[in-house]
């Protein structure tokens, strides 16, 4: 599923959120199926269009509910597993599932909204949270950061239940 959060960056306050199923589900229910689909002629472009469409639909919902204009949104941060970030950016994800399981990138450079067709201010930057590797992506990075487990003395366990379930155990000294 996809979730978009609208945050007021001047106050740091949460404004609203919208969620829906990712339109890519029609091309495969899991990331491995989507990686295979991306190898078909036009597959990668189709998956990227579906992802952008899903994000834009959620943005439109938030704009209407909160009386916000697209040009008022000046930055976007994307957190997702390694495959989903590759598909959003239109990068070939095929090496994620092939030995030695090395993604095209683990730390994508920022892109402009206009480059992806995301309906926010066209010059706004879109930053994708970095992943650790092929199967530990920016979704896990986001979970570790938002939970605060990296800065506590207490041992914590973060579990991501998805296609292949990742677990992070640790505290401020180690993860």
């Amino acid at each position: 599923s996809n979730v978009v959060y609208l945050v007021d960056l001047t106050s740091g306050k949460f404004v609203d959120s919208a969620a829906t199923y990712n339109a890519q589900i029609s091309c495969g229910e899991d990331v491995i199926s989507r990686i295979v689909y991306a190898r078909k002629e036009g597959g990668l472009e189709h998956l990227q269009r579906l992802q952008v469409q899903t994000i834009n639909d959620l943005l439109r919902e938030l704009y209407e509910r909160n009386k916000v204009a697209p040009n008022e949104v000046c930055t976007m941060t994307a957190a997702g597993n390694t495959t989903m970030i590759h598909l959003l950016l239109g990068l070939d994800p095929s090496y994620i599932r092939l030995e030695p399981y090395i993604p095209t990138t683990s730390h994508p450079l920022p892109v402009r909204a206009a480059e992806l067709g995301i309906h926010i201010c066209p010059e706004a930057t879109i930053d994708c949270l970095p992943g650790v590797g092929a199967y530990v992506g920016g979704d896990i990075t986001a979970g570790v950061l938002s939970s605060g487990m990296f800065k506590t003395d207490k041992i914590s366990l973060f579990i991501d239940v998805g296609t292949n379930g990742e677990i992070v155990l640790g505290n401020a000294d180690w993860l």
Side-chain angles (χ1 to χ4, degrees):
S1 68
N2 284 80
V3 181
V4 173
Y5 294 95
L6 186 61
V7 177
D8 182 338
L9 294 179
T10 56
S11 68
K13 298 213 188 279
F14 167 81
V15 176
D16 198 359
S17 66
T20 191
Y21 286 104
N22 185 331
Q24 292 176 342
I25 199 165
S26 62
C27 303
E29 291 187 15
D30 58 55
V31 293
I32 300 301
S33 299
R34 293 176 193 172
I35 290 171
V36 171
Y37 186 92
R39 293 194 53 105
K40 296 179 180 182
E41 186 174 333
L44 177 59
E45 294 81 8
H46 183 233
L47 287 166
Q48 184 184 31
R49 275 193 310 276
L50 289 172
Q51 182 63 46
V52 169
Q53 172 193 325
T54 301
I55 293 168
N56 284 337
D57 289 348
L58 292 172
L59 285 169
R60 188 176 316 105
E61 181 181 331
L62 290 172
Y63 295 154
E64 290 172 6
R65 261 200 327 249
N66 296 282
K67 309 292 187 257
V68 172
N71 279 340
E72 293 179 79
V73 179
C74 60
T75 190
M76 178 177 143
T77 301
N81 67 50
T82 306
T83 300
M84 295 310 296
I85 294 297
H86 276 60
L87 296 177
L88 172 64
L89 298 175
L91 301 174
D92 181 4
S94 60
Y95 299 104
I96 294 170
R97 69 179 276 268
L98 302 172
E99 283 189 65
Y101 312 108
I102 299 174
T104 301
T105 183
S106 290
H107 193 176
L109 296 174
V111 296
R112 299 274 178 222
E115 292 176 60
L116 296 181
I118 302 287
H119 296 161
I120 61 176
C121 177
E123 293 302 312
T125 57
I126 298 175
D127 293 295
C128 297
L129 290 182
V132 177
Y135 291 100
V136 182
D139 52 345
I140 306 306
T141 303
V144 167
L145 291 173
S146 65
S147 70
M149 69 184 288
F150 68 97
K151 57 184 178 181
T152 181
D153 291 332
K154 295 180 180 178
I155 303 291
S156 299
L157 180 66
F158 176 81
I159 302 172
D160 174 45
V161 179
T163 300
N164 55 330
E166 299 89 2
I167 299 172
V168 179
L169 175 69
N171 62 13
D173 295 325
W174 56 275
L175 295 171

